[in-house]
Amino acid sequence: MNYETQINEACEKFRALLKDQLCRVEKMKADGDFKDYESLPKIRIGVCGGDGIGPIISAEAERVLKILVADRIAEGKIEIVRIEGLTLENRIAHMQPIPDDVMEALRSCDVILKGPTTTPQKGSGMPNLESANVAMRKALDLFANIRPVRVPEEGIEWTIFRENTEGGYAVGSSGINVTEDLAIDFTVTTSQGSERIARLAYDYARKNGYGRVSIVTKANVIKTTDGNFISDCRKVAAEYPEIQTDEWYADIMTAKLIDKKRRADFKVLLLPNLYGDIISDEAAEFQGGVGTAGAANIGKHYAMFEAIHGSAPRMIAEGRGAYADPCSMLRAVAMMLSHIGLSDRADRLTAALDFCAKEKKLVITGRPGGASCRAYADYVIEHL
Ligand code: IPM
Ligand code: MG
């Protein structure tokens, strides 16, 4: 039994991955400050529809956005540009997770509002392309995925700070099939990557008067990368002595979020990529489901705002696309407005969304019988 050839081939692939990741570390070290949106003469907002229910919910989000910033558009301070071509068909035609011309259009914007995109899965018969989401987060270095969940009547006020460019996602499409029987994936942690997400989480906790940050990993098993994530976050925590830090394993955290006696105690959750992905879907369920939750993907030079959920191909296949919930994308619009310095307008939209969710004159069920996406957006607009 001699696997020398396979081992050498795998080592060559691994070597290439290491080079890429070290290159990324150098870029992070040299990276400057956050873009100052208020000093820009004009903010370009790119809107991508995406796949499945994406174009339906994004169209409503764009409509609401245009109403909220109509004066800024008229003054030439905001420009909204449609970016076509982030569709599965086009990605397959180019065999790229983000075709070059789409990437160029994205880079010409300051912030992006993005509908969900379909990720082809291995074995689905579609080419095994990297997820457009993941590719965009990496290409624009959107390292912080911030996902708020609020259930005021239960005292739930969580903000999830999910690291967005590392962990299992950094080289998630570059795992190695060493032999027919042995496959290996990799998970990546860098001190720069952990520090920058931790800093945002602790700054947020400080600014909002939350006295607690909970770090969630599986460091009892994934000792090296999760272990480093914790120690790097702890270094940042030391600069915030007024904030209590506690550590949780991801499995027990999924349980504690269901524990009514404990869950309202959590405020800011700080997690590596994959745990953040999983826990944010669970967390959103308490607020009414993933259809109600928006996310900010923040980097130093770009920011992208989206729904936390996927493109819901099942809804489209069953002809229910028109009944998709626009709230996730509308929450994303609110986060975008606040990120570009228009907090007053963000607050108007958030208040309207909260009011409609409580009043329930219209209710989204995802099916005929419930409100349509368009009608629900009208309902929110009435209450802006
Ligand atoms: C999310 C989504 C994506 C992710 C998918 C679509 C690749 O689940 O934004 O949470 O895993 O990050
Ligand atoms: Mg997810």
Side-chain angles (χ1 to χ4, degrees), residues 119 131 133-134 137 147 162 169 277 306 308:
T119 305
S131 138
N133 269 29
V134 175
R137 292 167 185 166
R147 302 185 156 182
R162 163 185 176 191
Y169 285 66
D277 176 48
E306 61 179 350
I308 77 159

Side-chain angles (χ1 to χ4, degrees), residues 20-39:
D20 284 351
Q21 291 306 308
L22 287 168
C23 209
R24 204 171 58 75
V25 167
E26 291 308 317
K27 277 199 198 130
M28 283 190 281
K29 282 187 186 165
D31 207 7
D33 234 335
F34 281 96
K35 177 181 269 177
D36 174 14
Y37 290 95
E38 272 150 67
S39 70

